[in-house]
Amino acid sequence: MVIGVTGKIGTGKTTVCEILKRDYGAYVVNVDEIGHEILEEVKEKLVELFGESVLEDGKVIRKKLGEIVFRSEEKLRKLERLVHPLMRKKVENIVKERSGLVVIEAALLRRMKLDTLCDHVITVVAKEKKIVERNKFARERLKFQKDVIPQGIVIPNNSSIADLEKKVREVVSLIWERRESQEANTGEES
């Protein structure tokens, strides 16, 4: 089973994924980490698009790249056109190779069309005030995440870790119930 976990910056996606890994043995595919790997693979093209300043000692400096692309929608789209297809292919390969519960953690799950790989999608949401408390760079990044809207099962995360853990347990129970119901219906049809 593949579950996508999405939501804007600072909502608690990573925490939800950690709970799924710890409590349910999920294999978590962190799409941001895959993106970091891809940046190194395409660094010559990055220099071509954004200039030498994105490199230091032959390595891509994500902070410098971020300063460039998060100031311009056009530059961000250029970066996405370059890296998203490569990231998607890598995620697809991981999902094909894994069995059991696989969780894809991605803020841009829908934009990257990774939601099509998922049996279920969980969207973690939080109030903007909470998001900014959790991540000081959030306001700048939120401008570029307007299309990150709730889909699938929505988990509000404005409270404690214990509250979030309880909500994740409830969601997993719901998903298992749906799955068992679907399997029972499929069995009746055969």
Side-chain angles (χ1 to χ4, degrees):
M1 179 186 305
V2 181
I3 297 175
V5 177
T6 190
K8 295 180 180 184
I9 186 172
T11 55
K13 294 179 300 297
T14 301
T15 306
V16 168
C17 290
E18 287 168 0
I19 295 166
L20 290 168
K21 181 178 181 177
R22 181 192 71 208
D23 296 352
Y24 300 96
Y27 180 84
V28 178
V29 181
N30 183 312
V31 176
D32 277 351
E33 287 176 9
I34 289 172
H36 301 164
E37 294 168 17
I38 297 291
L39 289 177
E40 286 302 319
E41 293 172 19
V42 297
K43 62 184 165 189
E44 289 80 18
K45 188 70 178 165
L46 291 174
V47 169
E48 201 177 294
L49 289 171
F50 306 112
E52 290 282 339
S53 68
V54 299
L55 293 185
E56 194 172 284
D57 297 327
K59 291 213 176 289
V60 177
I61 305 301
R62 293 191 321 267
K63 186 176 190 292
K64 289 182 180 177
L65 181 61
E67 287 169 0
I68 293 168
V69 300
F70 286 112
R71 290 202 173 106
S72 160
E73 185 94 25
E74 181 189 336
K75 288 180 179 172
L76 179 61
R77 296 299 167 236
K78 277 184 186 176
L79 176 65
E80 289 178 349
R81 279 193 298 275
L82 173 64
V83 298
H84 282 184
L86 301 170
M87 292 167 68
R88 180 178 164 80
K89 189 72 187 149
K90 208 164 210 172
V91 172
E92 285 174 352
N93 289 338
I94 292 169
V95 167
K96 281 179 197 166
E97 293 167 6
R98 303 298 306 191
S99 60
L101 178 57
V102 178
V103 174
I104 301 172
E105 177 185 354
L108 306 179
L109 192 78
R110 185 192 342 246
R111 190 185 303 170
M112 294 178 70
K113 297 181 179 40
L114 294 171
D115 56 339
T116 61
L117 303 175
C118 302
D119 299 303
H120 301 277
V121 174
I122 296 171
T123 304
V124 188
V125 297
K127 294 178 180 159
E128 190 170 330
K129 182 181 177 212
K130 248 325 176 195
I131 290 172
V132 173
E133 279 174 25
R134 292 175 183 150
N135 188 314
K136 63 183 179 178
F137 303 109
R139 278 199 210 288
E140 185 179 301
R141 303 278 168 94
L142 284 170
K143 289 185 266 184
F144 297 101
Q145 293 186 346
K146 287 185 173 74
D147 63 331
V148 180
I149 56 174
Q151 69 181 108
I153 301 167
V154 178
I155 298 179
N157 181 23
N158 296 301
S159 185
S160 65
I161 296 286
D163 181 59
L164 184 61
E165 288 172 334
K166 179 177 175 273
K167 289 173 181 171
V168 170
R169 282 193 300 275
E170 289 168 359
V171 165
V172 170
S173 289
L174 178 69
I175 287 171
W176 290 139
E177 284 173 24
R178 283 184 185 172
R179 184 177 181 185
E180 288 170 4
S181 172
Q182 287 170 342
E183 287 174 356
N185 289 339
T186 305
E188 289 169 10
E189 291 168 11
S190 29

